Amino acid sequence: MPSTMEAPDHSRRFFASAFYLLFFAAQASILPFLTIYYQQLGLSGSQIGLFAGIPPLISLISAPFWTGLADTSGRHKLVLSTGLLGVTGAILLLSRANSLSVLLLAIIGYAFFSATIIPLADSATLHMLGGEKARYGRIRLWGSIGWGLASPLTGKIIDSFGMKISFGYSAAVYAIVLLISLGLTHSLNRLAVPFWRGIRQVLADRRWLSFLGLSMVGGMSLSVVSSYLLLFMNSLGASKTLMGWVMTVSTLSEIPFLFFVDRLLKRWGARRVMAISIAAYALRALLVSLAKVPETMLLIQVLHGATFALFIGAGVTLADEMAPHGLNATGQGLFSSAMGGIGVATGAILGGWLYEGWGGAGTFRVMSGVAFAGLLVWLTLGKGLRES
């Protein structure tokens, strides 16, 4: 492998860092406000729930499709550019939606094209880091910074000029991200085996099955928190200002964990770090379920960094290590599909059913048990997983 891959230069790190910074800034200007936009369009509660559940189901299929296409064709940069162009077009269509059919088309398009972006960016970043792959977290933390900076800024813009302007703002940022993506370098490794044989190898590998299973548990856990934490806080009498601060604390908590995750990976290995992240979620969900005063969520949400940041850092590393030669992007797509597709969709549906029948405290108590059970299965069945 060329020496430049072993010691990536500052320009490569700049392009990767700038990519995550602006990509998540673009997402933060749209995603947190979509339910408000749906409400403004006159959608009912059930319709809003349907549109919110579509993206993870679409990504379940589209993430492996796009990443597999990139690996088999060797056109990673073209596939990534296509995804970014598709997302930009979907956002512009979303801003002009005047019927349910147009809105549905825009949401499906957004989910279909966006599913390829982060898996390909992660694969490229790991390739550019070469022998310093454990430093992935220090690049990825710029995404948290982008999200944290853009969310309040977009809120102020919407308050001043209305919801529509955020779509134009987001599309403009995505256009810049597209230009930056041209500076990313992707692996040119040829497939060691035919694509579908490689997929069959993955699905027959106990290490991969246990990894994807825990990824689903992680996605469920994160989905329940993102979907129902604020609803539970509202039932405890929390103000909207407090909710905003809780989200800010969550975002800021990611940064130190992403910055130091490389040291944890080197010391304990990716498998143990992933186990720690799930254990932290089980604890976090239990503490949320026991909360009686909404202000305590400010302290509990500090654990968000130990759940999301460590889970992403370890998951991306494991997917890259275990992927068959030449299928690195596909490995990231499978991880994304299990976590952000099956896991998130299941968490949203299961969490809604639990919340309706068991209330907020019961929901988080059950999810704490689910996370703990998933951890036990991972530790039991995943003993063959290689350490990083």
Side-chain angles (χ1 to χ4, degrees):
M1 183 176 291
S3 59
T4 54
M5 288 294 98
E6 295 300 326
D9 57 36
H10 292 296
S11 65
R12 290 194 178 99
R13 292 181 180 178
F14 168 79
F15 279 113
S17 300
F19 182 95
Y20 288 112
L21 175 73
L22 293 178
F23 173 77
F24 282 100
Q27 281 203 320
S29 64
I30 290 293
L31 296 185
F33 306 98
L34 271 182
T35 53
I36 297 174
Y37 182 61
Y38 295 154
Q39 191 175 55
Q40 290 177 353
L41 293 177
L43 270 64
S44 66
S46 59
Q47 288 173 325
I48 291 175
L50 173 63
F51 279 98
I54 287 174
L57 295 177
I58 296 294
S59 68
L60 170 63
I61 300 172
S62 58
F65 166 77
W66 283 114
T67 52
L69 178 62
D71 278 335
T72 53
S73 67
R75 303 287 184 86
H76 298 79
K77 190 168 294 190
L78 176 60
V79 173
L80 179 55
S81 297
T82 301
L84 287 166
L85 281 173
V87 165
T88 304
I91 288 173
L92 294 175
L93 180 62
L94 190 60
S95 69
R96 297 176 178 273
N98 53 12
S99 67
L100 280 179
S101 58
V102 175
L103 185 62
L104 180 62
L105 178 62
I107 291 300
I108 290 176
Y110 181 89
F112 180 71
F113 287 106
S114 65
T116 185
I117 297 173
I118 287 301
L120 286 179
D122 287 343
S123 178
T125 299
L126 290 169
H127 170 68
M128 291 189 293
L129 286 171
E132 298 180 347
K133 291 182 179 182
R135 296 176 70 86
Y136 163 83
R138 299 195 180 189
I139 304 295
R140 177 59 177 76
L141 67 83
W142 287 99
S144 300
I145 294 174
W147 185 284
L149 292 176
S151 294
L153 174 61
T154 303
K156 289 184 178 295
I157 291 175
I158 292 174
D159 283 338
S160 301
F161 303 102
M163 182 72 196
K164 292 276 188 178
I165 196 170
S166 67
F167 292 100
Y169 162 71
S170 180
V173 177
Y174 271 119
I176 298 174
V177 174
L178 173 58
L179 295 176
I180 292 174
S181 72
L182 300 178
L184 300 180
T185 303
H186 300 266
S187 173
L188 298 179
N189 291 333
R190 293 186 177 182
L191 302 184
V193 296
F195 176 76
W196 288 111
R197 184 187 299 176
I199 294 298
R200 287 195 294 269
Q201 287 180 1
V202 167
L203 297 180
D205 190 336
R206 190 186 69 173
R207 299 175 308 138
W208 262 104
L209 293 179
S210 62
F211 168 62
L212 294 176
L214 193 67
S215 298
M216 289 170 54
V217 172
M220 289 173 58
S221 304
L222 296 169
S223 176
V224 169
V225 170
S226 62
S227 300
Y228 301 102
L229 177 63
L230 296 187
L231 194 61
F232 182 44
M233 288 182 63
N234 189 62
S235 71
L236 295 177
S239 66
K240 299 300 185 293
T241 300
L242 179 61
M243 293 180 189
W245 277 110
V246 164
M247 299 308 294
T248 299
V249 169
S250 298
T251 301
L252 292 177
S253 71
E254 296 175 8
I255 296 175
F257 283 97
L258 285 169
F259 187 83
F260 291 110
V261 70
D262 61 323
R263 300 184 184 182
L264 299 179
L265 290 171
K266 289 177 180 178
R267 181 168 183 175
W268 292 323
R271 181 170 176 267
R272 289 194 182 97
V273 171
M274 202 163 186
I276 291 170
S277 71
I278 294 296
Y281 177 79
L283 174 61
R284 177 188 179 193
L286 179 61
L287 292 175
V288 168
S289 74
L290 298 174
K292 304 298 182 183
V293 180
E295 286 76 11
T296 57
M297 298 299 182
L298 288 168
L299 294 176
I300 296 172
Q301 283 301 91
V302 173
L303 286 171
H304 173 75
T307 56
F308 176 77
L310 295 187
F311 189 83
I312 289 294
V316 166
T317 300
L318 283 172
D320 183 74
E321 289 178 353
M322 295 191 300
H325 187 73
L327 289 177
N328 300 86
T330 301
Q332 299 301 331
L334 291 172
F335 171 53
S336 177
S337 180
M339 175 187 168
I342 301 175
V344 169
T346 303
I349 296 170
L350 177 62
W353 178 76
L354 288 172
Y355 201 95
E356 184 175 348
W358 294 57
T363 297
F364 284 98
R365 206 163 288 141
V366 169
M367 288 309 301
S368 176
V370 170
F372 184 70
L375 175 62
L376 291 180
V377 173
W378 167 255
L379 295 176
T380 302
L381 299 182
K383 292 181 179 179
L385 197 60
R386 294 190 187 95
E387 299 290 357
S388 62

